[in-house]
Amino acid sequence: MRFKTVLMFGAPGAGKGTQGAILGRIPGFFHMSCGDVFRNIDVNTDLGKAFYEYSSRGELVPDDVTVKMWAQVIGARTALGNYKPAADLLVLDGIPRTVEQAGLMDEHIEVLKIIHLVCNNETEMFDRLRRRALKENRHDDADEKVIRKRWDVYENETRPVLEHYSRDLIADVNSIGSPGQILHDILDYVVPTQDKHFTTFEG
Ligand code: ADP
């Protein structure tokens, strides 16, 4: 069985992580952020070192290792019973981030909805990334050149992922606004998806 999934999609700083984490607090949703998984890996391991190298340049970790790591983590969460595929809608943020990753993940996930956080204000996004760098001590958001690089990588490698999926799965949500308003707009799409596919809820 493939995991029933909602993708949080958007440029760096669009708020995927913030909104994904909020959804993850609601029973029946399981949130997983690929960036958080990477940041939690011990920096002394090979994968931890690779992550630090790529991310500090604003680049993506190679596709095959990323998807393998993702599959391992989700397998572990399932074994531990944190994530219950039969009862929980999986909310992924930060993965798939390339068309190649999307292809590799097709056998594992059934994408039911894509929340595309749209931002038409580049200056606002860059400000958010700078503020986050200060607040969360993110090495990849601290440098203007790295932020710019991450933005280019999004445009060139990540945005094309949208074309991998059927157009009618994609819901555009304005990512400029109060967190409550954005959550409200996201729930408009995600709640009916959950209701349609799941009948049992476990608290
Ligand atoms: P943001 O929320 O700002 O988009 P993330 O926390 O999701 O950033 O990711 C931080 C960094 O982790 C990325 O710049 C990249 O180096 C690495 N990373 C995260 N997810 C992936 C992925 N799916 N594929 C490759 N690299 C990734």
Side-chain angles (χ1 to χ4, degrees):
M1 190 195 78
R2 293 188 299 160
F3 303 137
K4 292 184 165 45
T5 303
V6 168
L7 301 182
M8 304 298 287
F9 199 88
K16 308 178 291 287
T18 305
Q19 294 294 335
I22 299 172
L23 286 181
R25 301 297 301 271
I26 306 173
F29 291 89
F30 184 83
H31 171 237
M32 180 180 159
S33 148
C34 191
D36 284 349
V37 170
F38 274 133
R39 273 184 291 279
N40 282 320
I41 295 172
D42 184 342
V43 284
N44 297 310
T45 61
D46 286 347
L47 187 54
K49 283 194 199 111
F51 164 69
Y52 191 85
E53 255 177 54
Y54 286 107
S55 65
S56 52
R57 293 199 295 257
E59 291 168 12
L60 297 178
V61 179
D63 294 325
D64 52 340
V65 270
T66 299
V67 173
K68 272 199 197 112
M69 180 210 61
W70 171 81
Q72 267 176 21
V73 172
I74 205 74
R77 295 275 189 268
T78 310
L80 289 168
N82 305 129
Y83 167 48
K84 302 182 193 69
D88 299 331
L89 186 55
L90 181 61
V91 178
L92 291 182
D93 96 60
I95 194 166
R97 228 168 165 114
T98 65
V99 173
E100 174 75 20
Q101 290 178 18
L104 290 169
M105 290 171 77
D106 279 340
E107 61 171 310
H108 302 289
I109 61 174
E110 181 190 358
V111 176
L112 302 173
K113 202 75 190 156
I114 299 170
I115 302 296
H116 180 202
L117 289 163
V118 182
C119 164
N120 303 317
N121 184 340
E122 208 172 300
T123 319
E124 164 78 18
M125 288 292 102
F126 277 61
D127 285 348
R128 280 192 195 183
L129 291 174
R130 277 188 220 99
R131 283 199 299 272
R132 179 167 78 182
L134 293 174
K135 219 170 77 191
E136 297 176 12
N137 208 2
R138 287 265 307 249
H139 63 281
D140 54 344
D141 286 342
D143 180 327
E144 194 70 30
K145 265 204 331 257
V146 176
I147 296 183
R148 172 65 52 198
K149 172 75 181 168
R150 271 153 46 75
W151 194 273
D152 292 345
V153 167
Y154 174 75
E155 289 296 334
N156 298 326
E157 297 184 49
T158 305
R159 191 189 280 281
V161 168
L162 287 174
E163 276 141 50
H164 182 80
Y165 300 101
S166 150
R167 179 69 192 100
D168 51 296
L169 295 180
I170 303 170
D172 286 348
V173 169
N174 183 0
S175 70
I176 303 290
S178 64
Q181 180 59 51
I182 299 168
L183 175 65
H184 182 273
D185 294 345
I186 292 174
L187 288 173
D188 270 348
Y189 293 108
V190 166
V191 172
T193 305
Q194 189 187 43
D195 287 347
K196 193 170 155 202
H197 292 273
F198 293 92
T199 47
T200 54
F201 295 99
E202 294 177 30

